[in-house]
Amino acid sequence: MKVLKNEEMRKLDEIAINTYKIPGIILMENAGISVVEEIEKSLASKENKKIAVISGLGNNGGDGFVITRHLMNKGIQVITYIVGDTSMIKGDAKINFDILEKMKAFIVKLESSEDIIQFQEDLQQYSILVDALLGTGLQRTVEGIMREVILKMNASKKEIIAVDIPSGINGNDGKVQGVAVEAKKTITFQLPKIGNILFPGSYYGGALLVKNIGIPKEAVSLIQSKIHLITEEVAASVLSKRYGDTHKGSYGRAFIIAGSVGMSGAAILASKTALRCGAGLLRTAVPESLIPILENQLIEGITVPVKEMLDKGIINYLKEENVVAIGPGCGRSQEFEEILHTVITSARLPLVIDADGLNLLANNIHLLKDLKAPCIITPHPGEMSRLTGLSIQEVNDHRLEVAKNFSEKWGVITLLKGARTVITDPQGQIFINRTGNPGMATAGSGDVLTGMITGLLSQGVEPLQAAIVSAYLHGKAGDRAAEELGEYSMLAGDIIDQVPFVIQEIIRA
Ligand SMILES: NC(=O)C1=CN([C@@H]2O[C@H](COP(=O)(O)OP(=O)(O)OC[C@H]3O[C@@H](n4cnc5c(N)ncnc54)[C@H](OP(=O)(O)O)[C@@H]3O)[C@@H](O)[C@H]2O)[C@H](O)CC1
Ligand SMILES: [K+]
């Protein structure tokens, strides 16, 4: 599913109206009706059936006027509050505003601080507040009366349903422009905006519902958005189909270089997950001293002493493999740095670099110029900061751009962990993952993700798909673990335990 910027949404509107000759007022009508359906669902469980629709002066407000009309026609008690000078209302919004006046709708204008004091008192009588103040037309920091109204709405603790996007959230990046409505759910139209998906916009929006308002599918295909939401369908399309061309003897072989003294857990978690995700044959190279621990914990895998691998030549070891992953728990020794150098510059098979592999890569970033095969890196913001020289704050403030720029510059697939995990490729495509929860910020969770990517790559899944599906799978498994154990108590191993059930769920869906 494409995720749009504000201007792309406006362009889609234009195409619908100017190319397909769908009058904008039809789109507004459909938008309003789709919200009314959700209001009725929320209202069903409530004693108090009174609704307040709080509208701005633009088309978001226009949606609000449509909503009021339909609620009135259903006999639902509704009051419309309008913020600003109603003489400024124009176009489709004006048509719908005039209809409300003809219907003698109960309209209250909010223009002064006295109005706001009364508004605050009024709010207590309603069951649901509909936020139709600002949508994709938000231009600047919210101030003045608009700010006061939003603060009073939030303070009322009433259930808020946001139209298109919570007012005050920037549709292009999900940031709060001064103040924003805290909604229980948001109904957005035709396609989600970036502000609906990224934090904090996603937090302010509550549950997100994407409603079709009648824009032709062909029009959507004309919008060249490079940003996509990872959906279950994408995961199912990869997990259910047979992987790759299983040429003789090499089907599903994975090689993981991981672990260091005191860090055997990372090697075990990554290896276990790779097997859980379908790797047929797995070998894990670890320091000799860890072999007994791995052998004890990982009966299905094969362990290789790092020293033996070095003596025989890493590349010789990799000849039969489908994928090599390097980094979980490896530490930053000179020996490991040399291994990383050899793997990056000589390996001719898909490569996953994680954790300390990324920290060492940060000091040898030029090595990426010598890559001989697709490479997936899986940094958290701290590792991305070291790789780019940007501060963690800068990375998190511009997650999509930072990941996209790195992928385009170095020709790698970047999976930038965090909320939300973002996957970018060297062609500038951006995929946003919405599964997962804060309980997954636990030691070893990243090792599990690396194992997932490795497991899928070992079966011939195309690298970008492997990164996308792994991010989705990782979050889904984490969500199941959180349901069962709570976000406080879950461990990385609990995520692995959920993998089989999540894969089955996806394949059967
Ligand atoms: N295909 C679709 O997605 C459809 C979307 N619809 C709805 O239309 C809005 C977008 O409508 P638009 O008129 O472009 O913009 P808004 O209504 O979001 O806001 C513009 C008005 O808000 C004022 N504004 C802007 N920023 C601020 C601010 N920070 N504080 C106060 N007021 C602000 C702006 O005034 P200006 O002074 O900037 O001129 C406008 O008055 C979309 O979100 C959907 O809800 C269609 O209804 C159906 C199709
Ligand atoms: K809104």
Side-chain angles (χ1 to χ4, degrees):
M1 180 187 280
K2 287 181 181 173
V3 179
L4 303 188
K5 295 182 181 125
N6 289 340
E7 56 275 15
E8 288 170 332
M9 196 70 237
R10 268 193 288 281
K11 178 142 178 47
L12 184 58
D13 245 6
E14 268 163 42
I15 294 170
I17 294 166
N18 303 327
T19 308
Y20 290 88
K21 306 299 177 202
I22 301 173
I25 197 121
I26 297 282
L27 300 175
M28 185 173 281
E29 191 72 12
N30 293 341
I33 290 169
S34 71
V35 177
V36 170
E37 286 163 4
E38 289 307 318
I39 292 172
E40 287 187 291
K41 285 179 196 165
S42 296
L43 216 45
S45 60
K46 295 183 189 308
E47 278 294 299
N48 174 3
K49 304 286 185 187
K50 280 184 85 172
I51 307 273
V53 175
I54 300 125
S55 286
L57 304 175
N59 284 340
N60 197 247
D63 295 346
F65 303 147
V66 171
I67 292 164
T68 297
R69 170 160 38 90
H70 283 274
L71 292 174
M72 288 175 70
N73 289 342
K74 290 172 183 286
I76 294 171
Q77 270 193 292
V78 55
I79 293 188
T80 289
Y81 293 88
I82 301 183
V83 179
D85 172 3
T86 52
S87 68
M88 302 291 281
I89 300 172
K90 55 188 184 309
D92 295 339
K94 174 97 172 73
I95 293 170
N96 280 297
F97 176 68
D98 292 345
I99 295 170
L100 285 190
E101 290 201 309
K102 295 276 186 296
M103 290 171 71
K104 305 259 181 291
F106 196 152
I107 295 173
V108 176
K109 295 175 186 175
L110 298 175
E111 294 173 284
S112 69
S113 41
E114 290 73 26
D115 298 336
I116 296 296
I117 293 164
Q118 185 56 49
F119 175 66
Q120 179 176 8
E121 283 170 31
D122 286 358
L123 287 181
Q124 286 316 311
Q125 66 184 294
Y126 303 110
S127 179
I128 292 174
L129 310 181
V130 178
D131 161 28
L133 287 165
L134 297 167
T136 55
L138 175 72
Q139 294 295 338
R140 53 191 182 278
T141 304
V142 178
E143 291 165 342
I145 289 282
M146 187 72 84
R147 175 185 171 80
E148 289 310 306
V149 166
I150 290 174
L151 289 171
K152 298 299 182 209
M153 288 170 71
N154 291 341
S156 73
K157 297 299 174 212
K158 294 291 179 180
E159 176 177 337
I160 300 177
I161 294 177
V163 176
D164 206 23
I165 192 164
S167 296
I169 291 296
N170 183 326
N172 288 335
D173 59 19
K175 289 192 173 69
V176 175
Q177 302 281 102
V179 68
V181 163
E182 292 170 34
K184 185 171 184 189
K185 63 180 164 184
T186 297
I187 292 91
T188 196
F189 307 127
Q190 206 66 43
L191 288 168
K193 274 49 85 178
I194 298 172
N196 293 125
I197 305 296
L198 293 186
F199 285 98
S202 171
Y203 163 76
Y204 278 83
L208 179 67
L209 298 135
V210 184
K211 296 280 186 177
N212 186 321
I213 57 171
I215 295 178
K217 270 197 175 6
E218 301 72 37
V220 174
S221 62
L222 296 175
I223 300 294
Q224 302 307 321
S225 165
K226 289 210 161 187
I227 302 175
H228 306 269
L229 195 57
I230 301 172
T231 57
E232 184 137 323
E233 291 71 27
V234 171
S237 70
V238 168
L239 289 173
S240 47
K241 96 179 169 213
R242 280 183 53 75
Y243 302 128
D245 56 341
T246 51
H247 50 81
K248 189 171 67 64
S250 66
Y251 182 82
R253 291 176 61 109
F255 196 89
I256 297 179
I257 302 171
S260 55
V261 176
M263 302 278 278
S264 57
I268 294 163
L269 289 167
S271 301
K272 268 189 177 175
T273 311
L275 290 164
R276 271 279 181 233
C277 287
L281 189 144
L282 168 77
R283 294 193 294 172
T284 306
V286 292
E288 188 107 28
S289 60
L290 301 187
I291 296 278
I293 303 169
L294 265 292
E295 298 275 326
N296 175 279
Q297 291 288 321
L298 198 69
I299 46 176
E300 300 89 348
I302 299 165
T303 50
V304 173
V306 164
K307 188 176 177 320
E308 181 189 298
M309 177 183 76
L310 291 172
D311 292 349
K312 288 190 178 172
I314 301 174
I315 296 311
N316 295 330
Y317 260 86
L318 298 181
K319 276 206 176 70
E320 293 295 306
E321 306 303 324
N322 296 102
V323 56
V324 56
I326 182 165
C330 282
R332 303 182 197 183
S333 66
Q334 172 72 30
E335 180 183 71
F336 176 56
E337 191 162 16
E338 283 158 19
I339 291 170
L340 182 72
H341 186 288
T342 307
V343 168
I344 291 178
T345 55
S346 316
R348 294 176 184 285
L349 71 166
L351 167 58
V352 185
I353 309 178
D354 181 32
D356 282 324
L358 295 172
N359 293 321
L360 286 174
L361 179 63
N363 306 327
N364 302 276
I365 199 80
H366 59 284
L367 289 178
L368 292 179
K369 285 201 176 65
D370 300 327
L371 272 171
K372 305 284 186 298
C375 173
I376 298 174
I377 64 166
T378 57
H380 58 53
E383 289 153 350
M384 197 65 187
S385 165
R386 284 189 280 280
L387 285 164
T388 57
L390 298 171
S391 70
I392 292 177
Q393 186 63 47
E394 284 168 322
V395 169
N396 276 330
D397 279 354
H398 307 287
R399 293 173 56 78
L400 302 188
E401 297 80 1
V402 169
K404 177 174 177 288
N405 295 343
F406 194 87
S407 284
E408 288 176 327
K409 180 174 182 183
W410 296 105
V412 299
I413 290 166
T414 304
L415 184 151
L416 176 56
K417 292 185 272 201
R420 306 262 185 208
T421 287
V422 175
I423 294 105
T424 55
D425 74 353
Q427 288 67 45
Q429 293 192 94
I430 300 173
F431 296 83
I432 304 174
N433 182 53
R434 274 202 308 166
T435 59
N437 62 76
M440 297 172 66
T442 179
S445 179
D447 305 318
V448 171
L449 177 61
T450 296
M452 285 184 174
I453 300 170
T454 306
L456 293 183
L457 285 172
S458 74
Q459 299 166 72
V461 173
E462 190 268 326
L464 178 61
Q465 296 297 331
I468 289 169
V469 173
S470 297
Y472 184 86
L473 213 48
H474 188 240
K476 278 293 262 191
D479 288 340
R480 275 183 68 112
E483 263 162 50
E484 210 171 286
L485 303 162
E487 292 185 6
Y488 285 91
S489 312
M490 57 192 273
L491 302 173
D494 300 319
I495 300 172
I496 303 176
D497 295 345
Q498 297 295 339
V499 167
F501 309 110
V502 171
I503 290 180
Q504 288 311 317
E505 233 173 70
I506 291 171
I507 290 179
R508 285 193 192 121

